[in-house]
Amino acid sequence: MKIGKYDCSSIEMGKFVLDGGAMFGVVPKVLWEREIPADYKNRIPMSARCLLIQGDNKKILVDTGMGNKFSDKEKKIYGLKEVFDIESKLSELNLSCKDITDVILTHLHFDHAGGATKIENGKIIPTFQNAQYHVQKEHFHSALNPTKRDKASFIKDNFEPLMNHGVLKTLDGFCELFEDIEFIITKGHTNFQQHPLIKGENNSLFFCGDIFPTASHLPVSWHMGYDNNPLTILDEKENLLKRALNEKWIMFFEHDPKIPAVTLKEGKKGIEIDQVIEI
Ligand SMILES: [Zn+2]
């Protein structure tokens, strides 16, 4: 899909399952299971969907999925159903890991940053050897000193090797790293999550990350039990939805099991899905 000067492609990096109750926080199960039905262990299917942005002599990957460093036991614990090989996924687009110039990490939870590093000859090294990785400075500090709430989501092997190899660039809030790509910062899910907004004349694409993990999380109060600051996320979602509607954003979902992206409209009960978009 063309957005302004960039070509955007969705890349499915894996499938996993998470507890449905944890994914919908205070929303009763009778309501959320109409949206995404749970299995016999109350788990719901999730995708790890990344975005490749090509243009302006850049090949930018947004988030990296779970990666391939998990043992079989860990795969069971984290509910990993399928993890796709990133090299073969890129080869479908006639690219290889070497071609990636930049990796934007929304945040460093393992289902977003797991693919940032890989094991080669017993050592953990950056997966994209020619890429500069970008994360918010404040978020990086939080990952090194996590809250008790999201401690289990940070695995140092996913990001410390990036620092040691000198390929991790830490950003200070809003910045114009790439032309026509705005970085929007949120703090409700985790401290200083960054969401790229790719801007075109007729449409823009917003990378929702973990603020709207699936299309079912569009209603403001439907947010995850995992979120660090529930009241903050309510305000952030409300403001983002208003802006999304005004500026006709396409909302790109990293974790929705079926719906990659949508446009929005004002409905009877508030802002709702207008059209499903394939990317
Ligand atoms: Zn997260």
Side-chain angles (χ1 to χ4, degrees):
M1 165 174 268
K2 192 94 182 153
I3 308 277
K5 65 170 71 168
Y6 297 103
D7 275 315
C8 296
S9 329
S10 154
I11 302 179
E12 179 87 48
M13 295 288 197
K15 299 267 186 204
F16 61 110
V17 287
L18 274 179
D19 182 80
M23 277 307 292
F24 286 101
V26 297
V27 181
K29 187 180 177 188
V30 286
L31 296 180
W32 64 250
E33 74 174 349
R34 286 184 209 153
E35 296 281 321
I36 308 180
D39 69 7
Y40 73 103
K41 283 186 171 174
N42 208 44
R43 301 172 308 182
I44 58 168
M46 309 265 288
S47 278
R49 186 178 291 111
C50 306
L51 184 71
L52 180 70
I53 308 168
Q54 300 185 74
D56 218 14
N57 293 319
K58 297 277 182 193
K59 291 180 174 39
I60 307 162
L61 187 66
V62 187
D63 279 352
T64 60
M66 300 276 193
N68 284 313
K69 300 191 296 301
F70 286 117
S71 65
D72 285 346
K73 191 182 167 193
E74 286 167 327
K75 279 182 188 164
K76 257 193 166 163
I77 293 170
Y78 293 113
L80 268 70
K81 294 276 180 192
E82 279 175 283
V83 176
F84 302 122
D85 177 53
I86 204 160
E87 192 70 63
S88 53
K89 278 282 165 182
L90 286 171
S91 73
E92 290 169 16
L93 300 163
N94 295 320
L95 294 171
S96 83
C97 289
K98 286 181 191 159
D99 296 319
I100 301 297
T101 59
D102 298 86
V103 179
I104 298 171
L105 295 167
T106 59
H107 62 302
L108 296 171
H109 288 164
F110 65 81
D111 50 328
H112 300 255
T117 59
K118 64 176 181 180
I119 301 172
E120 201 173 271
N121 302 322
K123 285 194 178 136
I124 298 175
I125 58 164
T127 306
F128 308 96
Q129 50 196 276
N130 298 318
Q132 178 106 63
Y133 291 70
H134 309 276
V135 74
Q136 286 290 319
K137 185 163 70 183
E138 293 280 346
H139 183 73
F140 188 66
H141 288 312
S142 299
L144 293 174
N145 308 287
T147 64
K148 285 184 184 132
R149 207 172 167 83
D150 64 354
K151 199 176 178 171
S153 298
F154 291 114
I155 300 171
K156 287 186 176 172
D157 283 350
N158 294 335
F159 47 88
E160 277 191 345
L162 304 177
M163 205 55 164
N164 300 338
H165 280 79
V167 296
L168 186 67
K169 192 173 174 197
T170 55
L171 308 172
D172 221 345
F174 175 81
C175 50
E176 270 276 352
L177 255 192
F178 312 103
E179 221 179 305
D180 297 336
I181 300 181
E182 179 182 335
F183 283 68
I184 292 174
I185 310 295
T186 62
K187 299 174 187 173
H189 171 65
T190 185
N191 198 25
F192 278 77
Q193 180 175 193
Q194 60 182 357
H195 310 262
L197 172 70
I198 301 102
K199 297 197 277 194
E201 252 176 53
N202 305 318
N203 54 3
S204 298
L205 188 143
F206 177 69
F207 192 92
C208 296
D210 270 352
I211 194 158
F212 301 98
T214 74
S216 305
H217 289 85
L218 283 171
V220 171
S221 59
W222 287 47
H223 69 86
M224 295 188 281
Y226 298 111
D227 297 329
N228 275 280
N229 303 300
L231 295 178
T232 307
I233 208 168
L234 293 179
D235 286 344
E236 288 173 341
K237 286 179 73 174
E238 203 164 358
N239 291 332
L240 284 168
L241 285 172
K242 273 185 210 153
R243 196 175 157 197
L245 195 66
N246 283 340
E247 298 177 17
K248 299 188 172 60
W249 291 357
I250 294 163
M251 309 292 274
F252 181 91
F253 301 114
E254 194 162 6
H255 291 316
D256 196 290
K258 289 183 182 152
I259 302 173
V262 299
T263 52
L264 301 174
K265 66 177 180 189
E266 186 84 61
K268 280 181 196 148
K269 291 182 190 166
I271 294 170
E272 57 186 49
I273 295 172
D274 185 17
Q275 279 184 331
V276 172
I277 309 281
E278 296 294 335
I279 291 178

